[in-house]
Amino acid sequence: MAAGVVLAGCAQAPAESTPSASGKQAAAPIAPSGSPAAAAEGPKKPDSPQDPSKLPVGTLYKNPSNDRNEIILADIRHTAVLIGDSQSEPMGSWPRVALDSLGYKVYSVARGGTGYVAATKTSGNYIDALQRGDWVLPYGTPPLIVLEGGGNDAGHDASDGQITANANRLLAALKKRYPQAKIAMIGTLARGSSVGGGRRTEVDALLGDIAAKAGAPFFSVGDWITKYQVAGDLVDGVHLNAAGHAKLGRVLAADMAEAGLRLQPDPAS
C-alpha cells in the first residue's frame, strides 16, 4: 500500500504514492478539497459494516465513532503518522529519516505549501484538511503522531493568534481521536535569529510554547540551518538536498531518542 517547512512558503509536488521496497508506508491518499481521500492505487469503497481488522490494506473505513473515512494500514502498531509541509513530504526527508532511524514505518500526510494556517488549492491547512477529508488518517492507534511545520505560515504572515488557534484545534482533534498515542511537534526550520531567521524563528518559538502547554515533546529547529551548517545543502534556497536531509535526520533522530520516542519493542507474548 502506498502512504510520503518550506523556507519561503513554496510548495513541492507530493511524493509519488508507490510501495517502498522496505514495506514502509509512503505518501498518504489525497483528494480534492471537500471530498473523501482515496487510496493511492484506487480506493476501495468505505465499508463500515465489516470488521475493520479483516478489511484489505488500503481500504477506506468509515469509522462510526467519528464518522470519518480512515485508511487501513498493514502495521499500525509500528507506524508513525507524520503531518507536515514540504520539509516532511519527500520520501527521504529529514523527519522521515529520523522516524525510520527510531524504528517506525511512516504514514505521511505532509503536503507542500501547507501549515497550521497556510493552505493550497488542493489541500487545506492541517486542521481543515483533516476535517474536510483532503487527506485521511489511519484506523487504529499509531504509537506516535508527529506535527512539523510553520514555514509557510511564516511566509504568509499568519498571526500568532491564528497559528495558536489552529494548532490547538489540531492537537485537540488528534488527542480525541488517538488518546493513547504520543504526540510530538517539530518546529520551523530556519537560520539563526542573528543571521536572518526572522519570522520563521519566531514561529518556531511560538510552536514551542504551544507544545509545552499541550504537554507534547517539542524539537526546536529554528536555528538548525546555521547551527548544523546546512546552508550549503539548500538546493534552491528553501529546500534541502539529500545530504542535508540526511544530516538533519540524524540530529533529529538523536534528539527524539533522547526524549524517549524510539519505537518500543512489542510486549513479550
Side-chain angles (χ1 to χ4, degrees):
M1 189 220 54
V5 156
V6 292
L7 302 182
C10 72
Q12 288 180 299
E16 183 178 357
S17 300
T18 55
S20 68
S22 63
K24 296 177 176 61
Q25 274 80 29
I30 187 167
S33 299
S35 65
E41 66 274 15
K44 304 170 182 67
K45 291 184 66 175
D47 200 345
S48 298
Q50 294 188 31
D51 179 351
S53 67
K54 298 179 180 178
L55 293 174
V57 170
T59 298
L60 290 179
Y61 172 72
K62 189 70 167 287
N63 190 333
S65 69
N66 57 29
D67 200 36
R68 286 184 184 148
N69 287 338
E70 296 179 342
I71 192 165
I72 304 296
L73 298 185
D75 188 10
I76 189 66
R77 165 66 184 83
H78 302 96
T79 299
V81 176
L82 178 59
I83 300 171
D85 56 23
S86 61
Q87 291 294 335
S88 290
E89 189 175 18
M91 290 298 295
S93 72
W94 52 279
R96 282 176 173 265
V97 168
L99 291 169
D100 180 67
S101 298
L102 296 174
Y104 297 96
K105 298 178 181 179
V106 178
Y107 176 81
S108 176
V109 294
R111 299 286 178 256
T114 65
Y116 293 95
V117 178
T120 69
K121 292 180 180 179
T122 58
S123 184
N125 62 51
Y126 298 163
I127 183 61
D128 287 347
L130 170 60
Q131 292 181 333
R132 297 190 320 205
D134 295 345
W135 41 253
V136 295
L137 292 176
Y139 178 78
T141 300
L144 179 65
I145 301 170
V146 176
L147 312 180
E148 172 276 321
N152 294 302
D153 299 319
H156 288 80
D157 297 321
S159 69
D160 285 6
Q162 290 174 311
I163 295 170
T164 300
N166 280 8
N168 286 335
R169 287 172 59 209
L170 178 63
L171 286 164
L174 293 171
K175 288 180 178 180
K176 182 178 180 180
R177 172 59 190 87
Y178 300 116
Q180 297 179 329
K182 294 180 181 178
I183 300 177
M185 295 177 66
I186 302 170
T188 308
L189 186 65
R191 302 172 188 271
S193 59
S194 63
V195 287
R199 179 59 176 160
R200 297 180 64 85
T201 299
E202 293 176 359
V203 172
D204 180 83
L206 173 65
L207 293 173
D209 291 340
I210 294 169
K213 291 176 182 177
F218 180 73
F219 302 94
S220 174
V221 297
D223 63 352
W224 275 24
I225 291 175
T226 303
K227 183 177 181 180
Y228 295 108
Q229 301 179 354
V230 294
D233 295 310
L234 296 174
V235 297
D236 55 5
V238 295
H239 297 103
L240 292 164
N241 60 20
H245 281 292
K247 290 176 187 176
L248 295 191
R250 288 191 294 269
V251 175
L252 180 60
D255 287 354
M256 295 183 80
E258 185 176 353
L261 295 180
R262 189 179 297 278
L263 180 66
Q264 298 303 303
D266 290 330
S269 57

